[in-house]
């Protein structure tokens, strides 16, 4: 959704023309695949992190335009709401000491952004959902001042035809409504990109789907919303419900949500793009002047602008991406399951685990998706979001035994998935020092059964029980302490639970 669009009204002819252009784009993609026009293997990865702006009191600050003006870097962009920013890291080739370099770049970029935010009495917070957000913060008036967000909101609201219902039943139960999609802005994530060849795309996407539950289990960092303790990773249900164009009647008919895990393993990238056209009506029927088939007939490379725009309004947790760089088309898998934070070290460790695990799973002689029903992978994802590090999964038995068995997430990650991730990183040519350091962070989370969500929840409860703080004060104090420890940079498994003892006066 990074494309610049101009707000306006659409009529029937716009939608008909857009639908026709989408079909021509899909045919163009099919021809590009048949003609093997895509980029050769480059082992390129990329990363984006969505961020929050907070004040010294831990409350959200609606200042992204002022902060971005001071940062003055194309690496930083707006996000949906005025308390959001996004940082984009340039693509890196997987191998060597790439993850140490990535950590250094992120640390430098975020420290610079934090200094600039300080000029308007704000600071940067990397956290899946800011615990201090209130319903009054997530209203249309706090949308970022960018046409595409206003237009997207208007179109989703029009398609829905009624208020959005939020109903998340976790440790506590949240039920409320919203007149806009702005509650989605509470969800700040890390997006991991991996460029793949068409021949490898299906294996990598299927592997990423299978790995998603483990990613969430060890990386959950979003236990609170609107003052309620919900799921350990509350972003997925919040994102789905706050962008849901289906009124209850369409939900009852089985119409698919625009935010979803999927329903089947795939055999090619084409499967996913074709599903997006078949299942989802256009939200932003904006047509480009280019005719993709004419461009192909002339020997050129089409932008497939309508397909790309439409794809950006279907929120798969592992999304297919078509792009053109230096006149050559390529495909990427965009992994969107992880929350932001808690620290740069944690973010990089999550990335290392993902890239290693996906490589290994994609290259197994008997791939996991041939031994695990897709429904079980989706149930694993749901369990991880609900229970985080304490989740239990269904997973194929090792060795010659057939079938699947239930196992707890910690045992699966520690005993089976971490060794696979290490082997995958070796296949990428990542230096053992990087491999061992960052996978060691994941291993320690498993050993201590902790992650960002566990630390937040435990610190909040201790603030209430031991220091007698009420709900709002405990959430604010937890957020301020989180931000202090985030800036110190030590990974979350080392963070002491609770608030620091007050210093006596005199």
């Amino acid at each position: 959704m990074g494309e610049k669009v101009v707000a306006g009204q659409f009529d029937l002819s716009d939608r008909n023309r857009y639908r026709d252009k989408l079909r021509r784009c899909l045919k163009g993609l099919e021809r590009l695949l048949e003609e093997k026009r895509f980029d050769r293997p480059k082992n390129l990865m990329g990363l984006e992190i969505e961020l929050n702006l907070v004040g010294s009191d831990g409350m959200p600050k609606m200042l992204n335009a002022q902060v971005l003006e001071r940062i003055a870097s194309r690496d930083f962009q707006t996000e949906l709401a005025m308390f959001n920013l996004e940082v984009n890291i340039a693509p890196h080739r997987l191998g060597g000491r790439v993850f140490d370099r990535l950590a250094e770049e992120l640390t430098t970029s975020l420290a610079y952004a934090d200094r600039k935010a300080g000029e308007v009495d704000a600071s940067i917070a990397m956290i899946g959902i800011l615990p201090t957000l209130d319903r009054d913060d997530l209203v249309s008036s706090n949308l970022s001042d960018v046409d595409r967000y206003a237009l997207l909101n208007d179109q989703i609201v029009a398609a829905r035809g009624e208020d959005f219902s939020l109903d998340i039943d976790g440790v506590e139960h949240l039920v409320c409504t919203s007149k806009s999609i702005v509650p989605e802005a509470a969800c700040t994530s890390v997006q991991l990109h991996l460029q793949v060849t068409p021949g490898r795309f299906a294996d990598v996407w299927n592997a990423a789907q299978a790995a998603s539950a483990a990613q969430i289990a060890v990386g959950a960092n979003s236990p609170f919303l609107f003052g309620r303790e919900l799921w350990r990773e509350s972003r997925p249900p919040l994102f789905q419900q706050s962008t849901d164009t289906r009124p209850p009647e369409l939900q009852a008919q089985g119409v698919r949500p625009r935010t979803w895990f999927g329903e089947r393993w795939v055999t090619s990238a084409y499967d996913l793009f074709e599903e997006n056209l078949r299942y989802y009506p256009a939200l932003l029927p904006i047509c480009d002047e280019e005719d993709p088939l004419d461009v192909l007939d002339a020997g050129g490379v089409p932008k497939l602008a309508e397909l790309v725009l439409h794809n950006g309004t279907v929120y798969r947790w592992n999304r297919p991406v078509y792009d053109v760089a230096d006149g050559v088309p390529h495909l990427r898998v965009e992994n969107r399951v992880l929350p932001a934070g808690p620290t740069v070290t944690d973010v990089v460790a999550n990335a290392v685990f993902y890239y290693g695990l996906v490589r290994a799973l994609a290259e197994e002689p008997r791939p996991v998706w041939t031994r695990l029903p897709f429904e079980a992978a989706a149930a694993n994802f749901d369990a991880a979001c609900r229970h985080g590090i304490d989740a239990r999964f269904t997973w194929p038995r090792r060795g010659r035994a057939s079938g699947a068995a239930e196992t707890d997430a910690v045992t699966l990650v520690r005993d089976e998935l971490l060794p696979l991730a290490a082997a995958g990183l070796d296949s990428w040519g990542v230096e053992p020092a990087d491999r061992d350091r960052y996978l060691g962070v994941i291993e320690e989370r498993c050993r201590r059964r902790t992650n960002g969500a566990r630390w937040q929840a435990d610190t909040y409860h201790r603030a209430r029980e031991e220091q007698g703080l009420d709900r709002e004060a405990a959430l604010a104090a937890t957020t301020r302490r989180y931000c202090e420890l985030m800036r110190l940079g030590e990974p979350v498994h080392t963070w002491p639970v609770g608030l620091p003892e007050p210093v006596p006066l005199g």
Side-chain angles (χ1 to χ4, degrees):
M1 282 305 300
E3 296 297 319
K4 292 183 178 178
V5 298
V6 179
Q9 298 298 314
F10 303 114
D11 59 25
L12 185 61
S13 64
D14 293 321
R15 295 187 181 279
N16 286 335
R17 182 168 176 249
Y18 189 79
R19 185 177 286 116
D20 180 64
K21 285 294 295 288
L22 277 175
R23 292 179 182 135
R24 294 181 72 80
C25 284
L26 189 64
K27 181 63 178 177
L29 176 66
E30 185 178 32
R31 280 181 53 181
L32 285 165
L33 290 166
E34 290 172 350
E35 296 168 11
K36 303 187 186 318
R37 297 278 299 276
F38 284 86
D39 205 357
R40 297 183 300 277
K42 287 190 174 178
N43 296 349
L44 287 178
M45 56 157 282
L47 182 145
E48 306 168 52
I49 308 177
E50 294 163 350
L51 307 164
N52 293 284
L53 291 170
V54 299
S56 58
D57 56 359
M59 307 304 287
K61 300 276 274 189
M62 307 297 168
L63 294 170
N64 66 355
Q66 296 92 316
V67 173
L68 284 168
E69 183 179 4
R70 286 164 171 80
I71 292 174
S73 167
R74 294 178 64 186
D75 293 342
F76 287 83
Q77 299 176 0
T78 55
E79 257 299 327
L80 184 62
M82 291 181 180
F83 62 89
N84 296 142
L85 300 176
E86 181 177 270
V87 60
N88 299 285
I89 299 299
H92 287 63
R93 190 178 299 275
L94 278 159
R97 300 301 302 272
V98 62
F99 292 109
D100 254 4
R101 293 196 304 274
L102 179 64
E104 186 176 345
E105 286 181 35
L106 276 173
T107 300
T108 301
S109 293
L110 293 175
Y112 173 72
D114 199 50
R115 287 197 304 273
K116 292 299 180 181
E119 295 176 7
V120 290
D121 297 321
S123 61
I124 300 292
M126 279 197 302
I127 190 167
I129 296 176
L130 192 63
T132 51
L133 281 169
D134 185 81
R135 289 178 61 185
D136 291 340
D137 297 317
L138 296 171
V139 293
S140 297
S141 58
N142 285 333
L143 275 171
S144 292
D145 188 19
V146 178
D147 278 346
R148 70 176 182 273
Y149 298 133
L151 181 55
L152 185 66
N153 178 66
D154 291 347
Q155 294 300 305
I156 291 180
V157 167
R160 171 84 180 186
E162 58 189 73
D163 288 353
F164 297 88
S165 298
L166 301 183
D167 185 343
I168 306 174
D169 194 1
V171 178
E172 298 178 292
H173 194 180
L174 173 70
V175 179
C176 63
T177 60
S178 172
K179 295 186 178 301
S180 73
I181 67 168
V182 185
E184 184 257 300
C187 307
T188 52
S189 66
V190 173
Q191 290 134 40
L192 302 173
H193 290 255
L194 180 60
Q195 184 175 326
V196 294
T197 59
R200 297 288 292 152
F201 183 94
D203 288 349
V204 171
W205 188 86
N206 290 338
Q209 289 284 95
S212 294
Q215 289 181 269
I216 289 287
V218 297
N221 196 31
S222 314
F224 296 106
L225 176 65
F226 298 160
R228 294 291 181 268
E229 185 179 356
L230 302 174
W231 294 10
R232 283 301 181 249
E233 187 52 47
S234 303
R235 287 168 39 257
L238 172 58
F239 204 119
Q240 177 174 321
Q241 294 176 26
S242 63
T243 59
D244 200 342
T245 55
R246 309 168 303 161
E249 295 80 7
L250 292 184
Q251 295 180 35
Q253 292 173 35
V255 173
R256 295 156 183 86
R258 294 193 86 95
T259 301
W260 72 326
F261 186 77
E263 62 189 15
R264 65 186 177 108
W265 306 115
V266 301
T267 58
S268 76
Y270 182 88
D271 292 352
L272 298 173
F273 288 103
E274 188 276 333
E275 277 187 355
N276 286 355
L277 268 64
R278 181 155 42 98
Y279 294 154
Y280 300 104
L283 287 178
L284 302 172
I286 301 166
C287 289
D288 190 80
E289 293 180 0
E290 174 190 88
D291 185 300
L293 300 184
D294 288 349
V295 172
L296 277 168
D297 289 342
V301 174
K303 296 179 294 184
L304 305 185
E306 292 82 9
L307 188 76
V308 169
L309 180 59
H310 184 63
N311 190 58
T313 65
V314 179
Y315 305 103
R316 295 178 183 271
W317 293 112
N318 286 289
R319 176 189 274 166
V321 177
Y322 170 89
D323 204 354
V324 180
D326 300 322
V328 182
H330 68 262
L331 295 170
R332 300 196 302 271
V333 173
E334 180 190 15
N335 177 261
R336 303 160 48 81
V337 308
L338 286 166
T343 67
V344 167
T345 298
D346 288 302
V347 168
V348 175
N350 290 340
V352 169
F353 180 53
Y354 168 74
Y355 287 115
L357 182 57
V358 163
R359 172 81 184 243
L361 289 177
E363 294 182 348
E364 280 192 306
R366 293 180 63 214
V368 62
W369 56 91
T370 66
R371 299 177 287 138
L372 184 71
F374 191 91
E375 295 76 13
N380 288 345
F381 181 76
D382 185 75
C385 293
R386 289 178 183 271
H387 305 296
I389 202 85
D390 296 321
R392 293 187 65 80
F393 298 152
T394 299
W395 197 258
R397 293 186 178 94
R398 282 191 284 180
R400 293 172 178 256
S402 61
E406 189 175 281
T407 181
D408 65 280
V410 163
T411 300
L412 177 66
V413 171
R414 188 180 55 213
D415 295 350
E416 187 169 345
L417 301 187
L418 278 172
L420 279 172
L425 293 165
D426 290 343
S427 297
W428 287 122
V430 171
E431 287 286 339
D434 271 19
R435 176 198 67 200
D436 295 344
R437 177 187 177 193
Y438 291 108
L439 290 186
V441 170
I442 306 298
E443 186 173 19
E444 280 298 299
R445 288 190 214 151
C446 290
R447 188 176 73 82
R448 304 184 193 202
R449 286 185 173 267
T450 194
N451 54 23
R454 171 64 61 80
W455 182 90
Q456 287 185 57
D458 288 352
T459 296
Y460 163 78
H461 286 294
R462 190 170 293 187
R464 297 205 67 183
E465 294 161 8
E466 296 183 2
Q467 300 191 12
L469 300 182
D470 65 21
R471 183 184 293 267
E472 289 185 4
L475 287 169
T478 298
T479 302
R480 292 193 298 270
R481 181 61 173 159
Y482 178 102
C483 291
E484 290 170 7
L485 293 169
M486 179 198 72
R487 289 187 199 96
L488 292 176
E490 292 301 314
V492 72
H493 69 262
T494 68
W495 290 10
V497 172
L499 305 177
E501 292 294 324
V503 178
L505 298 175

